[in-house]
Amino acid sequence: DVPEGTYEIIATVFQPDGSELTMSLTVTVLPDPLDQPFIHAWTEMNDALRAGDKARAMSFLNDGAKAKYGPVFDVLMGHWTEIIDSYSPLVRESLNEDIAEFVLSRAVGGLTHVYFIYFLKNPDGTWIIDSL
């Protein structure tokens, strides 16, 4: 459950004679291939918001989410780059046949807030955002 990214692992061994040996290793954690359709949709929606393309961003939402989040997108337009840059990467919490739950966090005013993102599977097999 380690988020994707590159990490450096540093280990220090203390020898009986008092000397120490330190070694490091760089490890890259790749996203789970099962998560790719969701991460792709999330990234594309965020890229559209950064570009000020509300219509494209809305194309990743189902009708209920469009009605709910369209006005929010309008109010926050012009601030999306700052907001998106403050998100953690998406992390899958659960994946079932028709619903996927992801979580991300964002620090605001010294507090960390957790947000759940829900994807629903369309009859055509594609996944679309239902709730953020």
Side-chain angles (χ1 to χ4, degrees):
D1 291 332
V2 177
E4 70 179 270
T6 301
Y7 302 91
E8 183 176 17
I9 300 170
I10 301 172
T12 301
V13 176
F14 297 94
Q15 304 287 343
D17 66 3
S19 65
E20 56 184 72
L21 174 65
T22 301
M23 297 192 78
S24 67
L25 173 69
T26 301
V27 176
T28 300
V29 178
L30 301 174
D32 187 323
L34 287 175
D35 296 342
Q36 288 308 304
F38 308 101
I39 292 170
H40 177 74
W42 182 250
T43 300
E44 290 290 317
M45 183 190 75
N46 282 296
D47 288 349
L49 289 169
R50 282 182 198 269
D53 189 346
K54 178 185 172 187
R56 178 154 165 67
M58 297 281 282
S59 73
F60 296 94
L61 307 177
N62 66 16
D63 289 342
K66 286 176 185 175
K68 183 175 183 179
Y69 299 112
V72 175
F73 287 2
D74 289 333
V75 169
L76 296 176
M77 204 56 74
H79 301 280
W80 280 112
T81 296
E82 171 190 343
I83 294 167
I84 292 165
D85 287 347
S86 69
Y87 297 160
S88 69
L90 278 182
V91 176
R92 179 173 21 105
E93 290 295 313
S94 66
L95 175 59
N96 298 314
E97 188 174 315
D98 297 323
I99 188 168
E101 178 185 61
F102 284 76
V103 66
L104 60 82
S105 62
R106 179 175 182 245
V108 179
L111 297 174
T112 300
H113 300 269
V114 175
Y115 300 92
F116 291 92
I117 314 299
Y118 292 92
F119 293 81
L120 298 180
K121 190 181 243 182
N122 280 327
D124 68 2
T126 61
W127 291 89
I128 195 154
I129 298 169
D130 176 66
S131 178
L132 344 151

